[in-house]
Amino acid sequence: MNSTILKTASNYLLPILLLFSIFLLLRGHYHPGGGFVGGLIASIAFVLHSFTHGTDATLRLLRIPPGSLIPAGLGLAALSMCAPLLVGQPVMTGLWMEDPLPVIGMVGSALFFDLGVYLVVVGVVLTILFTISQYSE
């Protein structure tokens, strides 16, 4: 796409949308949001960049193939899901740190599960959309 306005706007919107997606990820275990919604917002940010700058430029910006995020996210989600077994608790029992971290709040296994979902959603959406866009060029 050759719109100067959209190219300029996408350069400013990419970091803002990524920051918003991280906000949704971190607030997900307290309020609505979480890994799925945050991952969709992050994917939208990269798709907007891809529309304006091209798929190859966006893949260079990502530095890793989006398909590699899928097994990393699945592994992280599985580890956080099974971690309570190490302390004698049932699977998917929430484990929490005793003291909250500044800015983030209480950190527990739910946050790591959400982070795994976040990575899977970003990986799946970008892999599908970038594959479609590369075949249509």
Side-chain angles (χ1 to χ4, degrees):
M1 187 170 290
N2 290 329
S3 170
T4 306
I5 295 172
L6 188 57
K7 277 187 180 183
T8 304
S10 73
N11 289 334
Y12 292 106
L13 286 174
L14 179 68
I16 291 169
L17 286 171
L18 290 177
L19 188 63
F20 182 60
S21 77
I22 292 170
F23 166 75
L24 288 175
L25 169 68
L26 292 177
R27 100 186 260 274
H29 56 279
Y30 292 122
H31 302 289
F36 187 79
V37 175
L40 286 178
I41 299 294
S43 299
I44 288 169
F46 287 115
V47 168
L48 176 64
H49 187 274
S50 175
F51 282 163
T52 57
H53 298 282
T55 304
D56 293 331
T58 305
L59 287 171
R60 282 192 304 273
L61 179 69
L62 285 169
R63 297 185 184 170
I64 59 171
S68 65
L69 296 174
I70 300 168
L74 284 173
L76 184 60
L79 282 174
S80 69
M81 184 178 74
C82 295
L85 291 174
L86 299 174
V87 293
Q89 298 289 325
V91 174
M92 297 212 45
T93 300
L95 301 176
W96 297 92
M97 291 178 58
E98 291 183 18
D99 298 321
L101 294 177
V103 178
I104 296 176
M106 294 297 290
V107 174
S109 57
L111 177 62
F112 294 103
F113 184 81
D114 277 343
L115 184 59
V117 171
Y118 182 93
L119 293 174
V120 169
V121 169
V122 170
V124 167
V125 170
L126 292 183
T127 299
I128 291 170
L129 292 175
F130 289 168
T131 302
I132 291 170
S133 71
Q134 287 176 339
Y135 281 117
S136 66
E137 292 176 349

